[in-house]
Amino acid sequence: MAAEDRVPTRGVLRRPGLRPVDIMVALALVGLLYGLLRLAPSLGAPFLPRTAPAQVSTDPANLPFYAVRSLLRMFAALIASVLFTFVYSSAAARLRRAEKVLLPILDILQSVPVLAFLSITVTAFIALFPGSELGLECASVFAIFTAMAWNMTFAFYYSLVSQPRDLDEASRIMRLTKWQRFWKIDVPSGMIPLVWNGMMSFGGAWFFLAASESISVLNQQYALPGIGSYAAAAAAKGDLGEIGIATAVMVAMVVGVNFLFWRPMTAWAERFRVEESESAEKPRSLVLNTLRRSAIPGLLAGALRPLGRALDSATRPFGLAEHPLERPVLRRRAGDVVFTLVVGAAVLYGGWQSFDYLRSTVGFGEFGHAFEQGAATFGRVLLLLCLATVVWVPIGVWIGMNPRITRYAQPVVQVLASFPANFLFPFAIAAFVALGITLNWGSILLMALGAQWYILFNVIAGASAVPSDLREAMANLGVRGWLRWRTFILPAIFPYYVTGGITAAGGAWNASIVAEVVDYGHQHLTAFGLGSYIAQATRVGDHPKILIGVIVMIVYVVTLNRLVWRRLYRIAQTRYAL
């Protein structure tokens, strides 16, 4: 009788049928695919630069369509940013010679403002897709991409260079290929900072949505259907009611994206946390729990598994994920010499072309004026960083080290960080005029609204990534007060703060383009600074001045990175890596 009880019944062996949760997930996927198919024809609508509309309709009935189009651009830019992050960060972290070039290039790219990219890429993309709106769409997505990618790349690069040695040894012992190491070790070890910085970069990109959808370059004005171009048109009309409607829709979009995408991603990323003792409370997500109860994700993963095996086989010729313990000195030095000559020749050629172009146009005397305006913006950036550090580091540590607080505070922080501050610029202008505050000082607040969140998000990520066993050890030892901050909290979050600081500085320089020149109706405020210099040159299509402004901004940003941030990066790698 006991033996009969151990025999499984027929119902146990029967494959379970569709459950309500499976039907719900399947309907959501079908609805998503249907929406993308319905939007596809509008992306290739006829487009002629001379007759293209300069503004979109401000009829509130169009807002749902505008919101979906903006979301499509944002997620297209996010996918491109992730792919760029994986390739660029891996090359910079794994190739010794490439690192010496790729990191300075990343510094330069981060310091180039979004408007400068638009002034170059709009014409190129329109020429690439003649007669189609797809060219303008690609230019808009590329502009949003430039607002996301650099921060994500810095974060993932740091996770690779600060990877624990035992993971490297494990990949050698397991004889993993380079492809297998990337997906089994590199991506999981960097997933938590990548998700947090991706969420923060996505939020920061909302700040430039209006500039990327309502494009003003070369004395031409182009407008794509989107929530950003709607807000720009409402601000040009001076209609606070329509701006309020756009603000409400934007808040709904941010909350919806956070609930449906970023909260599931942050909860899912917790599976990659490495610590000896489990945290008391982990982030939770209703959407992620629903997907885990459904069989649909498993079916999709099973369908894609043969593709994964094929890629494993196809990438084996690239070799194993290991480096020779010793290289011939002569061969290494010869390679360094050749690499230096090639890079130096490319830099000299580009420098000479720029020198000749500027000499034959505006002349080099314009640099003095640009550096003077750059000094004013540089002072605003430093003041912003100091204030943001004092305010947000304690708050970020408090949120990140309390998982229960994180669950409630993270959606609020996400809404605040994602909300485009330039939607509030009309109200800021009214306040500045009423209080007698010039934009020379008011622009600091406007720049902070777009840049301070980089520090807050990275500090939260660093505090939440501290292993629970270290927290318990500090609590058991009774370490409190300033001693706890000096010996435990500050060293633990320092690498993340450095990442947040360098991206906040770059974000502040970028935000100066829209913060130092503000328009609302008939009101026009301008601050003395490099941001207003580049914005005005871009508006009239003055390419020599755009180039001078970008070069000056690059000099300021790269100098600050090399003298301050890179040294802090080395300290973080050598002294404070967990």
Side-chain angles (χ1 to χ4, degrees):
M1 195 69 181
E4 292 178 359
D5 291 341
R6 290 194 295 269
V7 177
T9 63
R10 181 178 301 176
V12 173
L13 300 177
R14 185 180 302 158
R15 178 175 294 180
L18 285 176
R19 295 169 295 175
V21 66
D22 297 323
I23 297 175
M24 182 172 61
V25 173
L27 289 176
L29 291 176
V30 171
L32 178 61
L33 292 176
Y34 175 76
L36 293 176
L37 291 175
R38 286 294 302 271
L39 281 176
S42 64
L43 300 179
F47 173 80
L48 294 175
R50 294 182 179 179
T51 60
Q55 288 185 347
V56 298
S57 170
T58 55
D59 183 358
N62 295 323
L63 277 174
F65 174 69
Y66 291 166
V68 174
R69 287 287 292 267
S70 294
L71 283 175
L72 183 61
R73 294 183 192 107
M74 293 288 289
F75 278 99
L78 179 64
I79 293 172
S81 299
V82 171
L83 295 177
F84 176 86
T85 295
F86 284 162
V87 175
Y88 202 97
S89 299
S90 299
R94 303 298 181 213
L95 303 176
R96 180 179 61 86
R97 296 191 186 101
E99 181 184 24
K100 300 181 182 300
V101 176
L102 294 180
L103 286 184
I105 290 177
L106 193 61
D107 285 340
I108 293 173
L109 289 174
Q110 181 183 239
S111 60
V112 176
V114 172
L115 287 182
F117 285 113
L118 279 174
S119 65
I120 300 172
T121 58
V122 168
T123 306
F125 279 116
I126 290 176
L128 187 62
F129 300 95
S132 173
E133 198 174 88
L134 187 59
L136 203 59
E137 287 283 355
C138 290
S140 177
V141 170
F142 182 79
I144 300 172
F145 161 84
T146 62
M148 291 186 188
W150 321 137
N151 175 55
M152 297 171 62
T153 304
F154 270 120
F156 194 67
Y157 164 78
Y158 175 76
S159 71
L160 293 179
V161 298
S162 60
Q163 206 171 77
R165 290 182 179 270
D166 51 356
L167 292 181
D168 181 69
E169 295 172 358
S171 68
R172 294 172 183 269
I173 293 174
M174 297 171 65
R175 305 285 291 174
L176 298 179
T177 64
K178 295 178 180 177
W179 176 264
Q180 291 172 332
R181 174 187 172 130
F182 178 76
W183 290 108
K184 295 180 182 296
I185 293 181
D186 293 345
V187 173
S189 66
M191 184 56 66
I192 291 179
L194 180 62
V195 168
W196 275 91
N197 281 275
M199 178 172 58
M200 179 260 297
S201 299
F202 194 91
W206 288 115
F207 189 87
F208 300 100
L209 191 63
S212 62
E213 291 180 346
S214 182
I215 304 170
S216 177
V217 294
L218 306 178
N219 284 322
Q220 291 282 342
Q221 184 76 27
Y222 306 112
L224 286 169
I227 189 69
S229 56
Y230 179 94
K237 290 171 57 178
D239 192 328
L240 290 178
E242 291 178 348
I243 293 176
I245 295 174
T247 301
V249 173
M250 177 59 69
V251 171
M253 290 170 61
V254 170
V255 173
V257 170
N258 178 71
F259 177 77
L260 295 174
F261 184 74
W262 288 117
R263 280 200 65 78
M265 286 297 297
T266 54
W268 175 78
E270 286 296 313
R271 64 184 296 184
F272 301 108
R273 187 182 299 278
V274 179
E275 54 185 30
E276 296 181 3
S277 60
E278 188 175 1
S279 59
E281 187 170 349
K282 294 183 178 180
R284 291 179 290 180
S285 168
L286 178 62
V287 175
L288 181 63
N289 292 338
T290 301
L291 292 175
R292 284 172 172 170
R293 290 197 300 267
S294 172
I296 301 297
L299 294 175
L300 294 177
L304 295 175
R305 198 166 289 122
L307 177 62
R309 288 195 291 265
L311 289 174
D312 281 345
S313 301
T315 54
R316 285 190 178 278
F318 292 104
L320 299 178
E322 59 183 9
H323 305 281
L325 298 179
E326 186 177 358
R327 288 188 177 93
V329 177
L330 183 61
R331 180 180 175 184
R332 185 178 69 248
R333 290 180 178 176
D336 291 342
V337 170
V338 173
F339 181 78
T340 303
L341 290 176
V342 172
V343 173
V347 171
L348 288 176
Y349 177 78
W352 170 253
Q353 291 294 323
S354 300
F355 175 86
D356 185 61
Y357 175 70
L358 294 176
R359 180 179 56 83
S360 60
T361 52
V362 295
F364 298 104
E366 188 66 24
F367 273 100
H369 181 56
F371 270 106
E372 184 182 1
Q373 298 208 35
T377 303
F378 182 71
R380 295 187 185 105
V381 171
L382 291 182
L383 183 58
L384 184 155
L385 289 175
C386 294
L387 293 177
T389 299
V390 172
V391 173
W392 293 117
V393 167
I395 296 176
V397 169
W398 176 67
I399 294 175
M401 288 198 166
N402 295 274
R404 184 172 299 176
I405 301 297
T406 304
R407 188 171 74 248
Y408 295 106
Q410 186 253 332
V412 177
V413 174
Q414 174 68 8
V415 171
L416 294 175
S418 301
F419 185 78
N422 43 9
F423 278 39
L424 302 177
F425 283 6
F427 304 99
I429 290 179
F432 293 161
V433 171
L435 298 175
I437 300 175
T438 66
L439 197 60
N440 289 323
W441 291 102
S443 59
I444 298 175
L445 173 63
L446 302 182
M447 291 164 60
L449 293 175
Q452 63 185 350
W453 312 111
Y454 293 99
I455 292 178
L456 176 60
F457 267 106
N458 277 277
V459 171
I460 292 176
S464 62
V466 176
S468 297
D469 49 354
L470 289 181
R471 304 185 196 183
E472 295 170 1
M474 290 294 105
N476 293 335
L477 292 174
V479 180
R480 302 181 182 278
W482 171 243
L483 180 62
R484 185 170 184 263
W485 275 86
R486 183 171 58 85
T487 61
F488 172 51
I489 295 178
L490 292 179
I493 67 170
F494 184 74
Y496 295 87
Y497 171 78
V498 172
T499 301
I502 192 173
T503 49
W509 281 102
N510 222 332
S512 68
I513 306 296
V514 294
E516 293 182 349
V517 178
V518 183
D519 294 298
Y520 171 66
H522 300 293
Q523 295 283 349
H524 179 78
L525 295 182
T526 303
F528 181 82
L530 190 58
S532 61
Y533 179 90
I534 296 175
Q536 292 171 355
T538 303
R539 181 172 298 179
V540 300
D542 192 340
H543 281 106
K545 287 189 176 181
I546 294 174
L547 180 58
I548 288 176
V550 171
I551 290 174
V552 171
M553 187 172 286
I554 288 172
V555 169
Y556 274 108
V557 174
V558 173
T559 301
L560 181 63
N561 288 348
R562 289 295 162 185
L563 294 181
V564 179
W565 296 115
R566 287 293 166 233
R567 296 182 180 182
L568 294 180
Y569 253 130
R570 287 194 291 270
I571 294 174
Q573 294 171 17
T574 57
R575 295 184 58 183
Y576 299 121
L578 292 177

